[in-house]
């Protein structure tokens, strides 16, 4: 079985494991990042991650934590297959001779290359999960008749739309039937195929350095645990620890970029608040300070450790089983 096919298969299995373990955490992260600024005298929809979990379970049950999972389920095979396959091909290009282990710096380069490729899959998938719909219905409320009221956004799709559920019955949220419904809307009303790649620049600014850090840290920890460059005999516990910490390093290195990406993707299509990534960064910093760039950081970190531990372990076990 060729190396490409092995990486495709192992990456698919690793991605499935990551998704099953990590999606509830991701749902909470998106809800926290996407909730609007409150109107004067009102509190935020969610006080924090724990409160978001409680409200989600109360309003939607356990299924609410897996809202929006259809899109990543449909693309998880492609996403992780591309990530690990491109990384594997980069490793082949960087090796001094066939079979030679790579240095940590070489793994950083391989991870960056893989980040370029997966950006083109991550961008439309995440846009479907957490974008705003540009059409909103504001009825029977004089204080909300103006769509330009600060903090009053259009309804969200899938994961994030329930973050905007209001106690004010005047707000009627648009509900989508699923990922395909959202995709059809974007293609029809938000710029066609180009609309699906809204936020590509900040996505690449996240994926390239993030994956460079993740694969570099993963290799560094594996070599540290193994006491050298030969890591083939590491146990599953060591692989899980290395994978979990590597996943955490991804978010530590690029989290503010992810926040910028999220607000760009949920920005109103017809009346955008932000002119671009730099403008979004400046406005978040000006209105909310550094804290605004770390909304949802706790759930993201809580997700990254178990989800990536599962992903890397599943990948390594599957890959080694194929020889």
């Amino acid at each position: 079985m060729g190396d490409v096919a092995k990486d495709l298969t192992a990456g698919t299995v690793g991605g499935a494991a990551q998704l099953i373990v990590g999606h509830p955490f991701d749902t909470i992260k998106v809800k926290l990042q996407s909730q609007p600024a409150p109107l004067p005298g009102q509190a935020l929809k969610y006080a924090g991650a724990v409160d978001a979990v409680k409200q989600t379970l109360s309003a939607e049950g356990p299924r609410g934590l897996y809202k929006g999972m259809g899109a990543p389920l449909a693309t998880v095979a492609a996403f992780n297959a591309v990530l690990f396959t491109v990384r594997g091909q980069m490793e082949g290009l960087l090796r001094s001779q066939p079979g030679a282990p790579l240095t940590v710096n070489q793994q950083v380069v391989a991870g960056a290359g893989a980040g370029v490729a997966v950006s083109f899959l991550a961008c439309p998938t995440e846009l479907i999960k957490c974008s705003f719909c540009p059409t909103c219905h504001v009825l029977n409320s004089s204080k909300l008749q103006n769509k330009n009221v600060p903090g009053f956004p259009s309804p969200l799709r899938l994961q994030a739309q329930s973050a905007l559920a209001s106690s004010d019955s005047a707000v009627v949220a648009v509900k989508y039937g699923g990922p395909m419904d959202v995709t059809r809307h974007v293609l029809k009303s938000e710029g066609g195929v180009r609309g699906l790649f809204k936020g590509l620049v900040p996505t690449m600014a996240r994926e390239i350095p993030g994956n460079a850090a993740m694969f570099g840290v993963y290799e560094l920890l594996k070599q540290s645990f193994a006491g050298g460059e030969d890591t083939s005999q590491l146990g599953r516990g060591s692989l899980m620890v290395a994978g979990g910490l590597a996943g955490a390093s991804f978010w530590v290195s690029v989290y503010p970029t992810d926040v910028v990406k999220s607000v760009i993707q949920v920005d109103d299509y017809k009346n955008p608040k932000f002119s671009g990534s730099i403008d979004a960064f400046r406005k978040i910093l000006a209105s909310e300070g550094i804290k605004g760039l770390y909304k949802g950081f706790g759930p993201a970190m809580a997700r990254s450790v178990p989800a990536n531990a599962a992903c890397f372990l599943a990948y390594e076990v599957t890959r080694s089983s194929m020889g």
Side-chain angles (χ1 to χ4, degrees):
M1 193 175 183
D3 287 339
V4 170
K6 291 175 182 177
D7 283 330
L8 284 169
T9 303
T12 299
V13 174
Q18 181 185 57
L19 182 64
I20 292 169
V21 173
H23 192 80
F25 294 97
D26 196 44
T27 297
I28 298 303
K29 176 179 75 75
V30 170
K31 285 177 179 283
L32 290 173
Q33 285 183 345
S34 302
Q35 65 179 325
L39 293 171
Q42 294 184 354
L44 285 168
K45 167 84 172 169
Y46 304 112
V50 174
D51 183 48
V53 172
K54 289 179 179 178
Q55 289 195 43
T56 300
L57 290 175
S58 176
E60 306 172 63
R63 290 181 61 182
L65 294 174
Y66 284 89
K67 182 170 288 186
M69 192 171 173
L73 271 176
T75 58
V76 64
F79 183 91
N80 283 276
V82 168
L83 179 68
F84 283 99
T85 300
V86 173
R87 176 218 182 193
Q89 294 304 299
M90 291 287 293
E91 287 178 335
L93 292 173
L94 293 167
R95 282 193 176 95
S96 57
Q97 58 185 15
L102 268 65
T103 66
V104 172
N105 288 338
Q106 287 173 321
Q107 285 289 359
V108 169
V109 174
V116 173
V118 298
S119 296
F120 291 92
L121 290 173
C123 183
T125 300
E126 295 181 9
L127 179 117
I128 290 169
K129 284 199 300 177
C130 64
S131 288
F132 280 109
C133 170
T135 56
C136 62
H137 304 276
V138 186
L139 307 171
N140 304 322
S141 176
S142 59
K143 66 181 178 180
L144 294 179
Q145 286 294 328
N146 182 2
K147 293 183 182 181
N148 293 320
V149 171
F152 181 66
S154 307
L156 283 170
R157 301 188 187 105
L158 301 178
Q159 279 182 317
Q161 67 182 352
S162 61
L164 299 181
S166 173
S167 58
D168 191 330
S169 60
V171 179
V172 180
V174 176
K175 298 293 184 179
Y176 290 90
M180 293 307 297
D181 190 24
V182 176
T183 302
R184 282 192 293 268
H185 176 85
V186 173
L187 291 174
K188 181 180 179 180
S189 306
E190 298 187 20
V193 173
R194 183 178 179 181
L196 291 174
F197 289 90
K198 180 182 179 182
L200 179 61
V201 170
T203 300
M204 295 185 76
R206 180 194 69 185
E207 292 295 328
I208 295 172
N211 280 292
M214 182 173 70
F215 284 110
V217 169
Y218 183 60
E219 187 64 26
L220 176 64
L221 291 173
K222 285 203 304 177
Q223 292 186 14
S224 297
F225 294 153
E229 292 186 338
D230 183 6
T231 62
S232 60
Q233 301 303 313
L234 283 177
R236 294 185 177 184
S238 295
L239 293 174
M240 290 181 69
V241 172
L245 294 177
S249 73
F250 181 105
W251 289 114
V252 168
S253 61
V254 298
Y255 195 82
T257 307
D258 183 61
V259 173
V260 170
K261 178 202 72 70
S262 292
V263 299
I264 290 292
Q265 288 190 321
V266 302
D267 202 8
D268 192 290
Y269 176 72
K270 293 182 178 178
N271 300 291
K273 181 180 179 181
F274 308 108
S275 61
S277 300
I278 300 299
D279 183 50
F281 178 85
R282 288 173 176 169
K283 286 180 177 177
I284 293 171
L285 201 59
S287 63
E288 303 178 60
I290 294 295
K291 288 181 63 177
L293 295 170
Y294 285 89
K295 289 187 294 186
F297 182 71
M301 291 299 292
R303 171 195 182 275
S304 68
V305 175
N308 284 285
C311 177
F312 277 101
L313 176 63
Y315 171 82
E316 295 283 11
V317 170
T318 304
R319 187 68 171 78
S320 63
S321 70
M322 292 185 290

